[in-house]
Amino acid sequence: MKNIKDVFSSIYRLKFYIIIFVVAFLVFFVVYFPQEQVIRMIFNNISAQVGKEIIPSEASVSFFPAIGIDFKSARISGNNNSSDLYLGETSVGIPLTSIITFSPSLDISSKSFNGDIDAKILGLPIKPGKSPDEIYLDMESKGLLLSEILKDQVLDIEALVDLAIQGNLNLVNPSYSDVDITSTLSKIQIKEGKIMGFPIPNVLIKKGELAVAVAKNEIIIAKMNLGTPSDDLNLYVKGKISLKMNNPYDLNIKLKVTGELAQQFASFLAMLPAQAKNTEGFYNIRIKGDKRSPIPQITPIQ
């Protein structure tokens, strides 16, 4: 009996020393881990891949539940023709479970552009230094401020955006991607400017919806709605745009323009077939063409 007690006592002491060793090792590892050098190396690699300099603020390395980097903010430098973008509080990491199963994935959580972004990227290569040819992206964003993303564009547009992107992104040839994109917009304000040479006033639009798929060298627009019957602009679009060399397109459009906007677009509306306008004031037209011809075919839809 005494021998059994001695055995259990020895096991307990051994277990105790193992725990002390593990804790001491972890403390030593965290204290002496070259955090700044690792962070600099990772962001230098990312910058080299995307072609833009990324400068994080208050960055730190995390080890659980994912191996990755957390930072308070980051500046993504633009090129000569675009402004810098600023990310808010962000976590980027590879979950330990995905490493154990030899299928590393990347989880991203960010409070940026006045909203929340959550994304998971699958298909990362196991071998270091190898770039993936294709990745699977599952992203959901809520309450993004569009003006914070679309800087230095032709028009100054403000809107709140909810966005979801899911599917395979081909990084070698994007036209071979297979992706579904859905989005809702609210509180849309297009500020005074020009579209295709036509001056436009300030435009307020209550809401917008978008459902687009990229598949087999085509952009398939299942739904693109902008505005309501009570807005000055009410637009519905369905159709396809090819991503092949000449970019042929075939779109069905339902358009109604009223108020001050109709006055500004009077010359454009005069170009549309009169028989395409119904009793409710909507133009129902089909637009076909390709990149080779600057003038599309516009025919009425009855």
Side-chain angles (χ1 to χ4, degrees):
M1 191 70 161
K2 185 178 178 181
N3 290 335
I4 294 176
K5 286 184 178 180
D6 290 342
V7 170
F8 277 106
S9 178
S10 299
I11 292 173
Y12 178 81
R13 286 196 301 270
L14 181 61
K15 185 177 180 181
F16 177 72
Y17 286 127
I18 290 173
I19 292 173
I20 291 178
F21 172 78
V22 170
V23 171
F25 174 78
L26 290 176
V27 171
F28 176 85
F29 182 78
V30 171
V31 169
Y32 291 98
F33 183 76
Q35 186 165 259
E36 290 186 8
Q37 293 92 322
V38 171
I39 291 173
R40 192 180 304 114
M41 179 188 69
I42 291 173
F43 276 96
N44 285 342
N45 286 336
I46 294 174
S47 298
Q49 290 288 333
V50 301
K52 292 181 180 292
E53 186 179 13
I54 303 175
I55 304 173
S57 172
E58 298 182 38
S60 61
V61 177
S62 60
F63 298 96
F64 186 83
I67 300 174
I69 294 177
D70 301 332
F71 54 85
K72 191 71 175 176
S73 63
R75 176 170 64 86
I76 303 175
S77 64
N79 52 35
N80 296 332
N81 299 319
S82 64
S83 300
D84 294 344
L85 289 177
Y86 291 89
L87 299 179
E89 188 174 347
T90 301
S91 296
V92 181
I94 301 175
L96 293 174
T97 52
S98 72
I99 298 175
I100 294 171
T101 57
F102 299 99
S103 56
S105 63
L106 191 66
D107 287 354
I108 302 170
S109 179
S110 180
K111 295 184 179 297
S112 300
F113 311 119
N114 202 53
D116 297 313
I117 302 172
D118 291 294
K120 179 181 284 291
I121 299 175
L122 304 176
L124 300 177
I126 296 177
K127 290 184 178 180
K130 178 175 171 56
S131 299
D133 295 332
E134 187 173 79
I135 61 173
Y136 180 83
L137 175 64
D138 188 356
M139 185 182 86
E140 185 173 356
S141 307
K142 292 186 177 297
L144 303 185
L145 192 60
L146 190 62
S147 59
E148 291 294 315
I149 304 172
L150 300 180
K151 293 184 177 182
D152 300 323
Q153 300 301 311
V154 176
L155 283 177
D156 189 355
I157 303 176
E158 291 186 359
L160 291 178
V161 181
D162 291 347
L163 175 67
I165 303 174
Q166 189 176 62
N168 292 304
L169 294 175
N170 191 304
L171 304 182
V172 178
N173 189 341
S175 63
Y176 288 104
S177 298
D178 187 0
V179 184
D180 290 319
I181 303 170
T182 58
S183 178
T184 59
L185 299 88
S186 60
K187 299 180 180 178
I188 307 164
Q189 181 179 5
I190 303 174
K191 296 186 178 180
E192 186 175 355
K194 287 187 176 182
I195 298 179
M196 299 174 63
F198 294 97
I200 63 167
N202 291 326
V203 181
L204 296 176
I205 301 170
K206 294 183 180 66
K207 66 177 185 178
E209 293 179 287
L210 178 69
V212 172
V214 179
K216 296 180 180 178
N217 277 315
E218 285 185 329
I219 298 175
I220 303 166
I221 303 172
K223 178 196 296 184
M224 188 172 79
N225 302 346
L226 193 60
T228 67
S230 61
D231 292 323
D232 284 350
L233 176 64
N234 199 190
L235 173 69
Y236 302 86
V237 180
K238 286 185 178 182
K240 295 180 180 180
I241 301 173
S242 174
L243 296 175
K244 294 180 180 179
M245 185 179 297
N246 294 318
N247 295 111
Y249 54 87
D250 188 352
L251 305 172
N252 288 345
I253 296 175
K254 184 179 179 181
L255 171 66
K256 183 178 181 180
V257 185
T258 59
E260 186 179 354
L261 192 61
Q263 298 175 14
Q264 296 286 343
F265 274 84
S267 56
F268 169 75
L269 296 174
M271 296 166 54
L272 303 179
Q275 62 271 35
K277 189 174 183 180
N278 64 19
T279 55
E280 296 177 344
F282 279 97
Y283 286 91
N284 292 293
I285 55 176
R286 182 181 184 186
I287 297 181
K288 292 183 65 176
D290 57 44
K291 197 174 178 181
R292 294 170 299 183
S293 175
I295 302 175
Q297 302 173 21
I298 302 177
T299 55
I301 299 176
Q302 300 298 334

